[in-house]
Amino acid sequence: MNALQPLFNAITVIFIAVTMFAGGLATTLSALRAVFTDLRLLALALLANLVAVPLLGWGLAALFSLPTAGFIALILVAASPGGPFGAKLSVVQKGDVSAGTATQVLLAAVASLTFGPMSTAVLSVADVGARISLDVAALVRTVAVLQLVPFAVGLVVRHCARSTARSWHPVAALVSNVTFLMVLAGMLLGSWHDVVALLGSRTLLAGFVLAVAAFAAGTLLATGPSARRTTMGCVTAVRNVGPPLAAVGIAFDDAQAILGALAAVLISGLVAVLPIAAVLGHRRGDLT
């Protein structure tokens, strides 16, 4: 996988950028305004993602008595909301794509500032690991370049040239779908030995339970119709891998045990939430 790592990284970048661009193409300014002016929805989304899920991660790590590597990995994942897969799952479940994409971008931006303090606080109180000091400016730039800018460009195209947006959206959605599958395959191929080594361990189970609990928290702490609430659930369940990877490289010297546990937590979380989104999408498809 080391030889293919640059290719995998490039595909991941394409997936994130195209997914956000497609989200912008499918979003109207009125829909976006409705999300950002719904202060109760935004406050509940921030509460779910920045408070409830980190506390759930800490509680599950303690409940399952995870080994040090698994404990650290679960805390880092729980403290990092705004994963681009969340926007993708809003499409898979035929949910409120505008609300899901806008909220995911907002969470990624906010988490670029809160991830370091939150994860450091939990690990310090739990007396696990080292103090995490991240380049906040670099995280903000990454979020801006890969998520905010493509979404804004798609939004401008939708607003200024609606017919163009309609013709481009199916192509962007197709590229997003294909690269989504390639990223999933790359994660499995690149970390299968780490995941296999953790089979039967509590780390995989903790990652699975965290994703399900995060989906429940995001759905319950949301407003509006069912499609919007379950969309918030999927956005909450999918965490952002970038900050945890940076933290492992900076604070833990790329410790292989923590990287393996991180991959296991992320993959088990996707295994938990993907079927939920697929079932919701199937049911909503039957109703149309």
Side-chain angles (χ1 to χ4, degrees):
M1 180 66 181
N2 289 338
L4 297 177
Q5 191 64 44
L7 177 61
F8 176 72
N9 291 342
I11 293 172
T12 301
V13 167
I14 293 170
F15 162 69
I16 295 172
V18 173
T19 298
M20 300 313 300
F21 178 64
L25 291 175
T27 302
T28 63
L29 289 177
S30 59
L32 192 64
R33 191 180 303 112
V35 173
F36 283 122
T37 56
D38 190 340
L39 298 182
R40 184 165 177 244
L41 176 66
L42 294 179
L44 289 172
L46 292 172
L47 176 64
N49 282 273
L50 300 180
V51 179
V53 176
L55 291 178
L56 282 169
W58 184 7
L60 288 171
L63 177 66
F64 287 108
S65 300
L66 296 184
T68 299
F71 197 113
I72 293 172
L74 196 69
I75 296 303
L76 294 180
V77 169
S80 181
F85 282 110
K88 184 63 187 174
L89 291 180
S90 68
V91 177
V92 172
Q93 67 162 283
K94 297 182 174 68
D96 190 333
V97 177
S98 297
T101 305
T103 306
Q104 181 258 310
V105 171
L106 173 65
L107 289 170
V110 173
S112 66
L113 301 174
T114 63
F115 170 78
M118 174 60 75
S119 54
T120 295
V122 174
L123 291 174
S124 297
V125 173
D127 196 22
V128 177
R131 181 172 180 80
I132 299 173
S133 177
L134 299 178
D135 186 344
V136 173
L139 289 178
V140 172
R141 286 195 300 270
T142 299
V143 170
V145 172
L146 292 184
Q147 299 188 42
L148 293 177
V149 171
F151 179 72
V153 171
L155 191 66
V156 169
V157 173
R158 171 62 185 255
H159 180 68
C160 298
R162 183 166 297 186
S163 60
T164 301
R166 286 175 177 170
S167 63
W168 286 4
H169 185 264
V171 178
L174 177 61
V175 174
S176 175
N177 290 337
V178 172
T179 52
F180 175 63
L181 295 175
M182 294 173 72
V183 169
L184 284 179
M187 287 181 66
L188 290 171
L189 290 174
S191 56
W192 68 268
H193 52 288
D194 297 313
V195 177
V196 168
L198 289 170
L199 285 178
S201 75
R202 295 183 297 274
T203 301
L204 278 170
L205 179 59
F208 187 94
V209 173
L210 177 64
V212 174
F215 173 81
T219 301
L220 293 172
L221 291 173
T223 60
S226 173
R228 172 171 289 188
R229 287 186 282 109
T230 57
T231 294
M232 294 298 103
C234 281
V235 168
T236 304
V238 177
R239 314 307 279 176
N240 196 348
V241 66
L245 285 176
V248 174
I250 293 170
F252 303 101
D253 298 321
D254 288 316
Q256 191 58 45
I258 299 177
L259 286 172
L262 187 64
V265 168
L266 291 168
I267 290 173
S268 61
L270 285 175
V271 168
V273 76
L274 267 173
I276 295 174
V279 169
L280 288 170
H282 179 71
R283 288 181 177 175
R284 285 166 184 156
D286 289 342
L287 295 176
T288 58

